[in-house]
Amino acid sequence: MAYRLALLSSMMLLLAVAANAGGIAIYWGQNGGEGTLVETCSTGNYDFVNLAFLATFGNGQPPMINLAGHCDPYSNGCTNLTTDIKSCQAKGIKVMLTIGGAAGSYYLTSAADAKQVATYLWNNFLGGKSSTRPLGEAVLDGIDFDIEGGTTQHWDDLARYLSEYSSQGKKVYLTAAPQCPFPDAYIGTALKTGLFDYVWVQFYNNPPCQYSGGINSLEDAWKQWTAEIPATKIFLGLPASPAAAGSGYIPVGDLTSKVLPAIKSSAKYGGVMLWDKYHDDQSGYSSSIKSHV
């Protein structure tokens, strides 16, 4: 009897751990030396791949995708990615289009402008139809908001318009990469809508709330994000190597022994986001942490 109880309790523990097992989200697209999209998805390390970036849109500008050395959108060269995207999705990986970035030309002037951008995204990257789809016929899983400039207005409108397209069949996932100081300066209002499924908070390049040997400031920020943002899951966003960001890199040993044990008990814990695939290739970070996430 005691043996059966011990077996049962160990099984319950395993189930609890499995239930809170997280995934890894990776950014791909800003370095031609990071391998192809299909190679990225074939590593088995990632649950989400964010294609970075649609860096120009809004305010009447012709939208333009920038995937660095991977393909030339001006000659329709990125349509070849359709096969890779479908291959990733066949493995159960969600492939998102990231809009914005640290060095883009994007701006929303009004709710009407937000609606126009949403229509463009639906027709050109999601379930709609257009003769000029930059990535070809593949239907992406959703839109990732990495808004680090431009305006603080109308991102909530864009989220609402995009989420309305979920009623037309395939769900449109919404994700975001805010900075860890709370609330985020640009998309704080949008995140309060409750329309975002996954939020990967950037705990780097932000000394007040990132890890710096001690865990207190990161843990306090984590608790605020998980308590106040109505998202399905919150992810810990990190640089994949010391060179991937100005600050905020967490050595593997510190992440697995100190940081993850402190945040994984949260019901909203979703896993770890890494910037980016190129730096992950150099460091092997995702392979080193995967079994602990």
Side-chain angles (χ1 to χ4, degrees), residues 125-210:
F125 295 99
L126 300 168
K129 293 277 185 286
S130 165
S131 59
T132 56
R133 290 175 69 94
L135 304 179
E137 64 184 31
V139 176
L140 298 182
D141 292 286
I143 304 296
D144 177 49
F145 289 49
D146 179 20
I147 307 304
E148 303 184 35
T151 176
T152 61
Q153 303 292 308
H154 306 299
W155 301 111
D156 53 338
D157 295 319
L158 181 58
R160 284 188 196 97
Y161 290 131
L162 285 170
S163 70
E164 285 170 8
Y165 283 115
S166 288
S167 63
Q168 299 197 23
K170 184 178 172 179
K171 175 177 166 61
V172 175
Y173 285 89
L174 296 182
T175 64
Q179 312 293 316
C180 61
F182 190 92
D184 183 81
Y186 291 100
I187 53 169
T189 306
L191 291 172
K192 287 285 193 183
T193 61
L195 296 172
F196 286 81
D197 300 284
Y198 307 107
V199 176
W200 12 83
V201 183
Q202 295 186 43
F203 283 89
Y204 53 94
N205 295 335
N206 285 298
C209 43
Q210 71 191 28

Side-chain angles (χ1 to χ4, degrees), residues 213-292:
I215 195 174
N216 291 350
S217 50
L218 183 149
E219 197 175 2
D220 288 347
W222 175 266
K223 284 175 179 168
Q224 188 167 23
W225 277 98
T226 52
E228 298 195 35
I229 292 301
T232 310
K233 295 290 180 187
I234 308 281
F235 285 60
L236 179 73
L238 298 174
S241 77
S247 62
Y249 174 75
I250 304 181
V252 169
D254 288 12
L255 182 72
T256 57
S257 68
K258 296 181 189 175
V259 180
L260 289 178
I263 66 171
K264 283 183 77 170
S265 57
S266 162
K268 280 192 188 165
Y269 169 79
V272 172
M273 172 273 275
L274 296 176
W275 176 270
D276 61 353
K277 172 60 166 50
Y278 174 77
H279 290 95
D280 193 29
D281 284 348
Q282 309 305 306
S283 65
Y285 200 80
S286 64
S287 295
S288 302
I289 68 169
K290 185 169 173 59
S291 63
H292 301 272

Side-chain angles (χ1 to χ4, degrees), residues 37-45 87-88 91 93:
L37 185 56
V38 80
E39 287 165 352
T40 299
C41 294
S42 295
T43 63
N45 288 354
S87 165
C88 294
K91 291 179 167 71
I93 297 166

